Amino acid sequence: MTPTRTALLQRMPIFGALSPPTLELLVGQARAREVDAGAWFFREGDAASDVFVLESGRVEVVKAWQDRELRLCEFGAGDCFGEMALIDLSPRSAGVRALAPCSALLLGAGDLYALFERDPEQFALIQMNLARELSRRLRATDERLFRLWVGAETAAAPDFSAV
């Protein structure tokens, strides 16, 4: 258990308001992943079961379209990605590639199930936080799509970095 990792989780919206023992449990269950610059955390279409908490580095979220890769957004240290895997259990909807050497923590559905068995209230809080984060990202995407539809922005190079 690392106090630095626990502090990282405390600052993230999806872990907001969780008790210190819950954060310590999650950090204790998390697995570390190191990824070199240019390497993939996962690709679009891969099976999904983990959320990644980026401890260091920078990543880009990439979607394939007509034999091209389009960058949807970038994330840095303290951000999370892959959280949809904990909700819908569907294949990855986009890929995530490291732009710099990265270090991340992985938490999976099994880790959350262990929390559910131990403390259903804290589990429910994480689920609500995940729903809030997904809703925030969906609202930003909806706004972006609306602006493109009404011509307030050009469609040539969409920038979803606010997502």
Side-chain angles (χ1 to χ4, degrees), residues 20-132:
T22 297
L23 292 169
E24 291 172 10
L25 173 73
L26 293 173
V27 167
Q29 292 175 320
R31 289 146 331 270
R33 165 85 54 88
E34 304 290 327
V35 176
D36 294 328
W40 293 88
F41 275 91
F42 53 81
R43 292 181 184 268
E44 184 176 349
D46 285 353
S49 61
D50 300 305
V51 62
F52 293 80
V53 176
L54 199 56
E55 292 185 282
S56 66
R58 192 134 191 91
V59 301
E60 63 180 345
V61 179
V62 177
K63 185 96 173 138
W65 184 70
Q66 295 185 350
D67 298 325
R68 295 180 11 210
E69 290 180 351
L70 299 175
R71 179 183 296 181
L72 300 180
C73 64
E74 290 185 19
F75 292 120
D79 288 325
C80 70
F81 53 91
E83 69 286 341
M84 289 168 43
L86 299 177
I87 302 295
D88 67 7
L89 306 175
S90 295
R92 300 286 185 186
S93 62
V96 174
R97 180 172 42 216
L99 295 171
C102 293
S103 175
L105 297 176
L106 284 79
L107 287 166
D111 300 319
L112 292 185
Y113 184 73
L115 175 60
F116 169 74
E117 289 181 318
R118 179 178 173 199
D119 191 335
E121 282 186 26
Q122 292 287 286
F123 172 81
L125 187 54
I126 285 180
Q127 294 300 311
M128 289 184 341
N129 289 344
L130 280 168
R132 284 186 190 107

